Amino acid sequence: MTSPDPTSAPRSGSGRGGFVFALVVLAALAVAGWYGWRAWSARDAAMRRTFAEQADALDARLDALRGEQRAQSLRMQQDEATNRVLREELIGLGQRSALIEQTVEKLADPDRHGAQALFLDETALLLATGQQRLQLAGDLDGARRAYAIAATLLERVDDPKLLDLRQTLLQERNALDALGADPRAAALRELAGFAASLPGDGAVANDRDANSPWWQRLLSRIVRVQPSNAAIATDPVDRRNARSALELELTLARAAAERRDAAAWHEALDRANAWLHRLWPDSPQRKTLEARLAALRAMPLATSNPVLGTTLQQLQALRSAR
């Protein structure tokens, strides 16, 4: 039997110890690496969360900045609109001030006769008023007063160019003084007299009998001869209706005269004349009524003054030329 080498046992123990030491070192390094990787992962996650929070904060800040920018843009637009309105108002005020200044200069300028221009305006207004009062209302006295006041105002204008205008106004005033009463009033008065003078049912027949020969008057008490084609109303109801129609036509004629409608006036009197033929037979009294109706139809309803309004037209043309 061989004895073991005393030098080999220690060498084997040192090899196992080195191996174990190496394993311990590797295990320590693995643990350290694992802890390091875990710490790095936690730090990376924290940094990512921090970056995400910062990004969210930046986005919120950008949204707030965008909202403020939009609000600022709206305020700037409103300010621009306000400035535009104010600028236009200032321009308008400047224009109105310039117009007022020009008007004041015209009134203060002795060459433009500002006060005389006011007199001419009042003269034109009075002439137009007088013309309308005469044409619409038939107020001849009112028209004469308006023309008299217009002549007084025109005398206060010391302009030699108005000499022809003064002469025209004088001629027009003379024509107004030469006019008589309102023809419409005369026509209405004659119409009222005609309506009041209408005879009763038997008045015309009695007049006809009075002018007939004695033998006709004698026989008329027994029998009355009348043409079969005559349109005389004999029934009392028909006569009342015909009389009412005649009075209605006279009323329509009166309304036409009030509004100076010559065509309606003529038509109403023509229809009234037809109702005369319906109510009464041919007789001297009916002929008198027909003659009065014809005279009424020929009466004018408005004044005929060819020179009326000449002064106003001449004044307007003179002011337009200036």
Side-chain angles (χ1 to χ4, degrees):
M1 296 179 59
T2 60
S3 57
D5 191 359
T7 60
S8 61
R11 189 179 298 119
S12 298
S14 63
R16 286 194 299 269
F19 177 76
V20 172
F21 178 75
L23 289 175
V24 172
V25 171
L26 289 175
L29 290 175
V31 171
W34 181 77
Y35 277 106
W37 176 81
R38 184 175 179 183
W40 181 83
S41 298
R43 182 179 179 184
D44 183 66
M47 291 180 65
R48 287 183 180 180
R49 287 194 300 270
T50 303
F51 290 156
E53 293 175 355
Q54 291 179 354
D56 293 338
L58 288 175
D59 291 338
R61 181 60 179 170
L62 287 175
D63 293 338
L65 290 175
R66 291 192 187 96
E68 292 179 358
Q69 184 180 5
R70 286 193 296 268
Q72 188 69 21
S73 300
L74 291 176
R75 284 195 293 270
M76 291 180 64
Q77 292 176 359
Q78 292 176 356
D79 292 340
E80 289 178 358
T82 304
N83 292 333
R84 189 182 304 109
V85 172
L86 291 175
R87 183 168 59 252
E88 292 176 355
E89 290 181 355
L90 288 176
I91 293 173
L93 288 175
Q95 292 176 352
R96 286 192 289 270
S97 300
L99 291 175
I100 293 174
E101 185 177 357
Q102 292 176 2
T103 304
V104 173
E105 289 178 357
K106 289 180 181 179
L107 292 175
D109 190 1
D111 296 332
R112 296 298 298 236
H113 301 288
Q116 295 180 0
L118 295 177
F119 289 151
L120 292 179
D121 291 340
E122 294 181 3
T123 302
L125 179 60
L126 287 169
L127 292 176
T129 302
Q131 184 178 356
Q132 292 176 359
R133 290 186 68 86
L134 183 60
Q135 291 179 348
L136 300 179
D139 188 0
L140 184 59
D141 294 334
R144 288 170 180 169
R145 287 194 298 270
Y147 272 71
I149 299 174
T152 303
L153 290 176
L154 195 59
E155 291 294 333
R156 300 176 64 179
V157 182
D158 54 349
D159 191 350
K161 297 180 181 179
L162 301 180
L163 180 60
D164 295 338
L165 186 65
R166 295 190 183 94
Q167 185 177 1
T168 304
L169 180 57
L170 180 60
Q171 294 175 357
E172 194 168 354
R173 290 187 64 190
N174 293 333
L176 284 176
D177 293 336
L179 290 177
D182 186 11
R184 182 181 63 179
L188 289 173
R189 185 170 56 253
E190 290 296 328
L191 182 63
F194 175 80
S197 65
L198 287 176
D201 290 340
V204 176
N206 294 333
D207 181 70
R208 184 191 61 181
D209 293 340
N211 291 277
S212 299
W214 64 271
W215 57 273
Q216 288 186 1
R217 294 197 301 270
L218 180 62
L219 292 177
S220 64
R221 299 182 180 181
I222 303 174
V223 63
R224 181 178 299 275
V225 179
Q226 180 175 320
S228 60
N229 59 352
I232 304 300
T234 58
D235 186 72
V237 177
D238 292 341
R239 294 191 63 81
R240 285 196 299 270
N241 293 336
R243 186 63 179 257
S244 299
L246 175 60
E247 294 175 355
L248 176 62
E249 296 299 336
L250 295 179
T251 303
L252 292 176
R254 186 178 300 106
E258 289 290 346
R259 62 178 184 271
R260 300 182 189 272
D261 190 351
W265 167 263
H266 294 159
E267 293 175 359
L269 292 181
D270 291 339
R271 293 192 298 268
N273 188 53
W275 285 112
L276 287 180
H277 289 264
R278 177 67 174 165
L279 282 169
W280 298 291
D282 188 12
S283 64
Q285 191 169 2
R286 195 186 77 176
K287 292 181 179 179
T288 302
L289 294 176
E290 292 175 351
R292 292 187 64 180
L293 272 182
L296 274 173
R297 192 181 188 281
M299 292 183 67
L301 298 178
T303 56
S304 177
N305 188 3
V307 299
L308 184 64
T310 307
T311 308
L312 180 59
Q313 295 177 359
Q314 186 175 351
L315 178 58
Q316 292 173 351
L318 181 62
R319 296 175 63 189
S320 300
R322 290 187 178 184

